[in-house]
Amino acid sequence: MAWREGTLTRAKELEALAAWVRSKNSCKHDEILETAIGRHLQAARDAATVKPLNPRRRLRIFRNGPLMERASSNLDAAEAHILNVAPADYVLGQLPCLLRHVQCHLPAADPGRQEFERIVRSVGISRPDRPAARTRTKQEREDELQDRRQTVDDERGKIVTAVRAASSAALREHVRLRSFRNVVVVTAVLMALLAIGVALTGFFRPTLIPLCFAPEESGTATVVCPTGQSDRFIPSQEGGQPRDGVPVKDIDDMVAATVEPQDLIVVELIGLAAAAIATAAAIRRIRGSSERYGLPVALAALKLPTGAVTAFLGLLLMRGQFVPGLSALDTSAQILAWALVFGYAQQLFTRLVDQQGQTVLDSVRAPDATRPATSAA
């Protein structure tokens, strides 16, 4: 997968950076951090290469998400250790990028972010009113650079703490995203199992839940099912007598003779097709995301079984005369047309889930994500 390749690349980059830092700084007190950097990078590689668990576990459902988070957290820890031992010049060069990282994942009222922004301002970054370098002498520039190095050395602990807090906040955002994705996937699976159960029930027991209607006209009735309809008859429940060759029959008997095992399957397939059309139409509103949890795919997959179930339930409500004036459909084509309508109507329910999914994606404030607008004070 792409995240594994990215993890291995980043681990190699940090390994080379740690070696460079070690060559610039030979302080013996940093040996502990250097050892920790190596262990974190190895843990990230183990996650990327899916190293077998120790002890082994038989059930490893949804292991991909935890592996991604393990790799990310170890890379973040290694980077924080590098900032602890890196030369001041390196930290100065990284401050603009670190500032963006902190501002993306920590709220404006966070004390750590406020302190980090103060440090950044004190070393002259994000100050457009600073005088141009060519208007100052070489000695002035060297003095200023030395002051900035000293500030970084003095405030290094606060810098690393703020960056690590931002990385931890980013990881929590990804955990929330994965949790929401898992809920959507489980719901989609349960809806699919429900749709399959309904279809199997209709196939083996077609008379248990028949989606048939009996429109009456001039004292006669016709049983209309999704895949067929009966001849006209006079309902025996109304005490009618045979006339003009029209027999008197019990409605339940006629329903049992007309209903087919494939009726519910056809209805659900029509609802699923309508949901597929709704899914295709919803793609135009998907902005996409660089997150690798596949939430948009899970949201799209949820619509398909939901459309099949809503087509069945909608026709069931109509058969129970829940909708006045729509309790006696005249032809099989009308039944299938309403199944199409109810299948597409799943959008009324899943639209709210889509909105919540986009909100969760927006909360992962990556550089390519759209941040929610904030009202002016």
Side-chain angles (χ1 to χ4, degrees):
M1 295 183 180
W3 73 268
R4 290 172 179 161
E5 298 299 328
T7 297
L8 294 175
T9 302
R10 182 61 175 158
K12 192 65 178 178
E13 177 186 2
L14 291 178
E15 183 181 31
L17 186 59
W20 174 80
V21 169
R22 191 181 306 114
S23 67
K24 296 291 184 179
N25 187 4
S26 59
C27 182
K28 295 183 179 180
H29 299 291
D30 297 334
E31 291 180 357
I32 297 177
L33 292 181
E34 292 173 0
T35 302
I37 291 172
R39 290 178 177 175
H40 284 303
L41 294 179
Q42 185 58 45
R45 291 192 181 96
D46 291 344
T49 55
V50 197
K51 185 177 180 180
L53 297 176
N54 186 18
R56 293 180 178 272
R57 297 180 182 177
R58 295 183 180 273
L59 298 178
R60 293 179 293 180
I61 302 176
F62 298 131
R63 189 188 174 194
N64 197 56
L67 286 176
M68 294 169 61
E69 289 149 16
R70 180 188 179 192
S72 177
S73 61
N74 276 282
L75 291 177
D76 291 337
E79 188 172 12
H81 289 330
I82 290 175
L83 290 176
N84 271 311
V85 298
D89 287 335
Y90 171 81
V91 179
L92 279 172
Q94 292 294 312
L95 279 182
C97 180
L98 298 177
L99 175 63
R100 172 61 175 157
H101 179 60
V102 169
Q103 290 178 337
C104 275
H105 300 289
L106 293 182
D110 185 86
R113 171 177 168 174
Q114 294 176 350
E115 185 67 13
F116 186 86
E117 291 175 339
R118 180 194 65 79
I119 296 171
V120 170
R121 288 193 299 268
S122 69
V123 297
I125 298 177
S126 72
R127 282 176 50 191
D129 57 339
R130 291 178 66 245
R134 64 174 179 270
T135 62
R136 292 172 293 164
T137 65
K138 180 179 180 180
Q139 185 62 40
E140 290 174 338
R141 292 197 300 270
E142 291 179 353
D143 292 342
E144 180 184 6
L145 180 58
Q146 185 60 36
D147 291 340
R148 295 168 66 183
R149 290 170 179 162
Q150 187 62 44
T151 300
V152 167
D153 287 334
D154 293 341
E155 307 288 357
R156 188 185 295 266
K158 296 180 180 178
I159 293 174
V160 176
T161 300
V163 172
R164 195 69 184 95
S167 298
S168 298
L171 182 61
R172 288 193 296 271
E173 292 167 3
H174 284 83
V175 170
R176 287 193 295 269
L177 175 60
R178 180 170 65 89
S179 175
F180 183 80
R181 190 278 314 270
N182 290 346
V183 171
V184 173
V185 170
V186 171
T187 304
V189 171
L190 293 178
M191 293 295 288
L193 292 177
L194 176 61
I196 294 173
V198 170
L200 292 178
T201 300
F203 185 80
F204 292 106
R205 297 285 300 278
T207 59
L208 186 62
I209 315 176
L211 295 180
C212 298
F213 299 83
E216 297 186 17
E217 183 180 355
S218 301
T220 62
T222 302
V223 173
V224 181
C225 296
T227 60
Q229 63 183 56
S230 69
D231 296 329
R232 287 205 163 272
F233 65 95
I234 297 175
S236 61
Q237 287 85 344
E238 299 179 2
Q241 299 295 325
R243 65 176 187 273
D244 299 330
V246 180
V248 177
K249 295 185 178 181
D250 185 270
I251 291 182
D252 293 335
D253 294 339
M254 292 301 295
V255 169
T258 308
V259 69
E260 296 291 342
Q262 66 270 19
D263 282 353
L264 294 186
I265 298 177
V266 172
V267 167
E268 290 194 346
L269 286 177
I270 295 294
L272 188 145
I277 296 174
T279 302
I283 291 177
R284 62 183 176 86
R285 296 193 297 270
I286 296 178
R287 294 198 296 267
S289 172
S290 62
E291 304 306 323
R292 297 166 180 145
Y293 291 102
L295 179 58
V297 176
L299 292 172
L302 175 63
K303 297 178 184 293
L304 302 180
T306 304
V309 173
T310 54
F312 163 73
L313 294 178
L315 289 174
L316 192 62
L317 289 175
M318 291 182 65
R319 188 175 185 275
Q321 300 183 357
F322 184 81
V323 182
L326 294 176
S327 58
L329 302 182
D330 297 330
T331 63
S332 298
Q334 288 185 4
I335 296 178
L336 298 182
W338 277 105
L340 185 71
V341 172
F342 287 126
Y344 195 91
Q346 53 78 33
Q347 190 69 14
L348 297 176
F349 305 99
T350 58
R351 181 174 59 88
L352 302 177
V353 183
D354 292 340
Q355 293 175 353
Q356 181 62 26
Q358 192 60 55
T359 301
V360 173
L361 281 175
D362 290 342
S363 69
V364 182
R365 290 173 286 186
D368 61 339
T370 301
R371 298 183 64 176
T374 56
S375 58

